[in-house]
Amino acid sequence: MGKPGMQKIPKQMLQKGMFIEEFCGSWMEHPFWRSRFVLASDDDLARILQSSITELWIDPAKGLGLSDAEERALPAVEEPNLEQMAASAAKAKPQRVSMSEELARAAQICDRARTAVEQMFSEARMGKAVDAEHCKAMVEEISTSVSRNPSALISLARLKTADEYTYMHSVAVCALMIALARELALSEAQVKEAGLAGLLHDMGKALIPMSILNKAGKLTDEEFDIVKQHPMKGYELLVEAGNAGEEVMDACLHHHEKTDGSGYPHKLRDVDISLIAKMTAVCDVYDAITSNRPYKKGWDPAESIKKMAEWSKGHFDETVFQGFVKSLGIYPVGSLVRLQSNRLAIVVEQSPGALLKPKVKVFFSVANNTRIAPILLDLASSKVDEKIVGREPTDKWAFKDLDELWQVE
């Protein structure tokens, strides 16, 4: 598609001093979280040349452009066929796939998104603007993966190490927000806004000392007071950038509010907290308590849902929390459960429309206290005479490979 005033060039013609307006191709193909900036370093130029991107748009009004002779040598840019574009968009709508099919793609997206969020936090620490517009391609990629299979990326993002928590937490909450927004039947535009809110909700932590964020022990009261400044600091970053929507900024500012008024920074009560802030509060807490942190091991997903249900009155909006549980399942992927047959199993995939009957991998006989050859069971199938009788505390057992079990067929 032609862009007035812009020049579309092959990456080999790129030079320092040019203003990159847009990369041609997927966000996954280029090495930056943002796509609009002046190319100023040899390192960034080398990264682009080494990437799979072949073409990009530059803006000569904001940086170096091509000479008349170089521009005449460029191939003509064809105008788009709108009917073909519409047909392609319809075909491109993601089709639901199995957990095993989506895991490899979700792993690539998680890895790329973690790197991008780390770059974004690093730039914020150096005083550069956090441009929400540049995050939309990342949100789109995460949204597409969640459309193909909601559990894959969400479950992988939960497996973050303690030292990458700050960055992967943003990716995980983005995916959780997208799944929740769809469960609440929000419009697709609102779904994307919710994903963007999840991605940016903790940007204020870029301005909190890493020594406090990564502290292995309990925070002192003074340190916790510093951490509690991150919603306001993040909000101020987004206001300064000037292109995050009101809902995204509100989620950033109020995701630690509680419906009983005991949250922060403004002690808002139920009716005064926006829907998107209530959604972010639920997604934020779930990812925090299921993740390994410097000071504690993450809880099992099913145990986390149970704990959150106990807290829900006074902490979360009931309707939002119920929608969240439906989006994940009563027994989310990775949950350790006991079956009616007195065997243990790990949840490997949800069964649409059957919250209590996920697909599980049976691997342990409690009666014999021994591992058995893994068996995959779809508890929603009429051919399977088995059911879950309850979640099983992971700290009761010495299993070291639970996360590997649900990822392997």
Side-chain angles (χ1 to χ4, degrees), residues 267-301:
K267 297 190 179 297
L268 300 181
R269 299 189 70 85
D270 186 13
V271 295
D272 299 316
I273 307 171
S274 68
L275 173 61
I276 200 162
K278 288 175 176 178
M279 292 167 61
T280 314
V282 173
C283 296
D284 176 67
V285 168
Y286 176 80
D287 186 65
I289 64 178
T290 56
S291 300
N292 291 328
R293 308 290 291 278
Y295 50 86
K296 79 167 188 72
K297 189 177 184 297
W299 287 338
D300 172 272

Side-chain angles (χ1 to χ4, degrees), residues 318-329:
E318 290 285 348
T319 301
V320 170
F321 179 67
Q322 289 168 14
F324 180 76
V325 173
K326 287 180 181 177
S327 73
L328 279 187

Side-chain angles (χ1 to χ4, degrees), residues 235-249:
Y235 175 77
E236 289 169 351
L237 282 174
L238 297 180
V239 169
E240 181 184 357
N243 58 4
E246 290 294 329
E247 288 200 335
V248 172
M249 292 193 292

Side-chain angles (χ1 to χ4, degrees), residues 30-90:
H30 69 78
F32 304 99
W33 75 271
R34 62 174 72 228
S35 62
R36 297 178 68 249
F37 59 95
V38 174
L39 183 62
S41 76
D42 289 323
D43 285 346
D44 285 349
L45 176 57
R47 291 165 71 192
I48 295 170
L49 293 176
Q50 291 165 9
S51 75
S52 59
I53 288 290
T54 59
E55 296 178 306
L56 62 157
W57 291 92
I58 63 170
D59 185 350
K62 297 178 181 176
L64 291 179
L66 301 180
S67 68
D68 290 343
E70 289 172 323
E71 189 167 11
R72 283 195 297 271
L74 293 174
V77 179
E78 293 183 10
E79 288 300 314
N81 182 312
L82 297 180
E83 290 184 4
Q84 286 182 355
M85 286 178 65
S88 297

Side-chain angles (χ1 to χ4, degrees), residues 78-211:
E78 293 183 10
E79 288 300 314
N81 182 312
L82 297 180
E83 290 184 4
Q84 286 182 355
M85 286 178 65
S88 297
K91 286 181 183 177
K93 187 175 180 181
Q95 298 298 309
R96 179 73 180 240
V97 301
S98 70
M99 182 78 164
S100 58
E101 285 181 85
E102 185 57 27
L103 276 174
R105 282 184 292 196
Q108 288 184 326
I109 294 169
C110 276
D111 186 58
R112 174 75 179 90
R114 184 201 60 77
T115 301
V117 172
E118 189 171 1
Q119 288 177 3
M120 186 164 53
F121 271 65
S122 177
E123 290 183 14
R125 290 188 190 104
M126 293 187 292
K128 295 184 180 179
V130 177
D131 194 332
E133 194 66 30
H134 293 157
C135 298
K136 290 184 177 179
M138 199 188 322
V139 173
E140 183 67 39
E141 203 79 44
I142 293 170
S143 174
T144 301
S145 178
V146 172
S147 294
R148 289 189 295 255
N149 187 293
S151 297
L153 193 147
I154 287 170
S155 301
L156 285 176
R158 178 176 62 82
L159 303 185
K160 63 187 80 64
T161 60
D163 62 347
E164 66 182 8
Y165 172 81
T166 300
Y167 311 116
M168 279 305 298
H169 177 62
S170 298
V171 179
V173 175
C174 172
L176 290 165
M177 289 284 281
I178 287 166
L180 173 56
R182 290 199 175 117
E183 182 62 43
L184 296 177
L186 302 187
S187 70
E188 199 56 28
Q190 290 173 308
V191 169
K192 301 294 169 55
E193 196 78 350
L196 187 60
L199 192 67
L200 298 176
H201 80 287
D202 258 355
M203 277 310 305
K205 286 186 176 177
L207 306 182
I208 303 298
M210 294 297 288
S211 59

